Amino acid sequence: LAAVGDQDGKAAAKSASPERGAGGLKRFDADRDQAVTVDEFLKRRVEAFTKRDKNSDGTLDALELGAAPLGFRQQRQERRLERLLVSLDTNADNKLTKQEFEAQPASQAEGGDRRGTQRSAERQKLLFTFYDRNGDGVVEKAEYEASRNEEISYAKRKRLHALDRDGDGKVTLEEYTADARFRFLRLDLDRDGRITAADLPPLERQRWSQR
């Protein structure tokens, strides 16, 4: 579920995840009454929506919505590719030839075994072909940026697709918070409209009471 929870990429979002038990839920309990209401639960999500709604029309288009934050593996790949463009450019001409690119040892593949090395080498060739937009055997900065922009554009389309339930090209607040509302209902075991100690596993109830 791409839209569940806070997707703004803030470091606090992960630690505040309700799925992490009482410790995470405490961060949602704004008035410290040992109960999380649906409004408290959705507060960050609503604030994120308002922040993105630049024209204040109550909906988000693909541009306002933007791309979802990169996951850890994607961030690592981004950093690796950027380092490659610099470290493998042996003559510092801001261009990366196929020979320079393939100078990166394929043995850095996961596990370091023969099959992993082969997969890594194949992936390196695929990556170079993707970034070499004009097929001249050289990747220039403009080509790299064009490829990244294409990937970012796809990520935006994918996120809009995940959130736009009625397919009208716009995301309403209700659509933006739909999955978070579902998660609230899933955590509210007694269905009283609040998440309290009674809704938590026995061990987490003790943590909940330790304010």
Side-chain angles (χ1 to χ4, degrees), residues 188-207:
D188 182 18
L189 299 186
D190 57 14
R191 301 182 185 279
D192 67 348
R194 305 188 310 161
I195 301 173
T196 64
D199 299 304
L200 300 175
L203 182 60
E204 292 298 322
R205 292 175 192 169
Q206 184 174 351
R207 292 183 60 194

Side-chain angles (χ1 to χ4, degrees), residues 82-151:
E82 290 174 359
R83 288 197 301 269
L84 280 175
L85 291 175
V86 175
S87 64
L88 298 184
D89 184 16
T90 54
N91 58 3
D93 63 350
N94 291 322
K95 298 178 181 180
L96 190 62
T97 66
K98 187 175 183 180
Q99 290 73 23
E100 288 175 324
F101 189 84
E102 292 181 351
Q104 173 72 7
S107 59
Q108 292 185 2
E110 295 181 9
D113 59 11
R114 182 175 300 177
R115 291 180 60 187
T117 300
Q118 182 179 359
R119 287 196 300 269
S120 179
E122 292 173 352
R123 179 169 177 76
Q124 284 182 205
K125 292 179 181 179
L126 180 63
L127 283 172
F128 186 87
T129 302
F130 174 70
Y131 288 113
D132 182 16
R133 310 295 286 187
N134 58 11
D136 65 350
V138 177
V139 175
E140 300 187 33
K141 185 176 181 181
E143 290 179 300
Y144 173 76
E145 292 177 347
S147 299
R148 289 299 302 125
N149 288 336
E150 183 179 337
E151 291 178 322

Side-chain angles (χ1 to χ4, degrees), residues 15-210:
S15 62
S17 172
E19 301 295 347
R20 294 178 176 268
L25 281 167
K26 283 181 181 180
R27 296 178 178 271
F28 290 84
D29 185 14
D31 56 10
R32 299 294 180 182
D33 65 348
Q34 296 192 344
V36 176
T37 65
V38 67
D39 287 337
E40 289 175 321
F41 192 83
L42 297 177
K43 183 175 183 293
R44 296 184 184 186
R45 195 77 175 142
V46 172
E47 289 176 346
F49 180 92
T50 303
K51 182 179 180 180
R52 292 179 185 276
D53 186 14
K54 302 298 183 181
N55 59 5
S56 301
D57 67 348
T59 64
L60 302 179
D61 56 25
L63 183 61
E64 291 173 319
L65 191 60
L70 294 176
F72 174 75
R73 293 182 64 182
Q74 292 173 307
Q75 290 178 17
R76 184 173 60 182
Q77 180 178 332
E78 282 278 294
R79 291 193 295 269
R80 179 172 179 271
L81 287 172
E82 290 174 359
R83 288 197 301 269
L84 280 175
L85 291 175
V86 175
S87 64
L88 298 184
D89 184 16
T90 54
N91 58 3
D93 63 350
N94 291 322
K95 298 178 181 180
L96 190 62
T97 66
K98 187 175 183 180
Q99 290 73 23
E100 288 175 324
F101 189 84
E102 292 181 351
Q104 173 72 7
S107 59
Q108 292 185 2
E110 295 181 9
D113 59 11
R114 182 175 300 177
R115 291 180 60 187
T117 300
Q118 182 179 359
R119 287 196 300 269
S120 179
E122 292 173 352
R123 179 169 177 76
Q124 284 182 205
K125 292 179 181 179
L126 180 63
L127 283 172
F128 186 87
T129 302
F130 174 70
Y131 288 113
D132 182 16
R133 310 295 286 187
N134 58 11
D136 65 350
V138 177
V139 175
E140 300 187 33
K141 185 176 181 181
E143 290 179 300
Y144 173 76
E145 292 177 347
S147 299
R148 289 299 302 125
N149 288 336
E150 183 179 337
E151 291 178 322
I152 292 171
S153 177
Y154 172 78
K156 289 181 179 180
R157 287 174 51 212
K158 186 176 180 181
R159 193 175 191 204
L160 178 63
H161 172 74
L163 294 171
D164 182 17
R165 304 305 176 90
D166 58 10
D168 65 350
K170 298 282 188 177
V171 176
T172 64
L173 179 60
E174 183 178 357
E175 290 174 322
Y176 194 74
T177 59
D179 287 320
R181 290 177 184 276
F182 172 77
R183 186 156 66 171
F184 179 88
L185 293 174
R186 189 175 64 185
L187 294 172
D188 182 18
L189 299 186
D190 57 14
R191 301 182 185 279
D192 67 348
R194 305 188 310 161
I195 301 173
T196 64
D199 299 304
L200 300 175
L203 182 60
E204 292 298 322
R205 292 175 192 169
Q206 184 174 351
R207 292 183 60 194
W208 179 260
S209 62
Q210 295 173 353

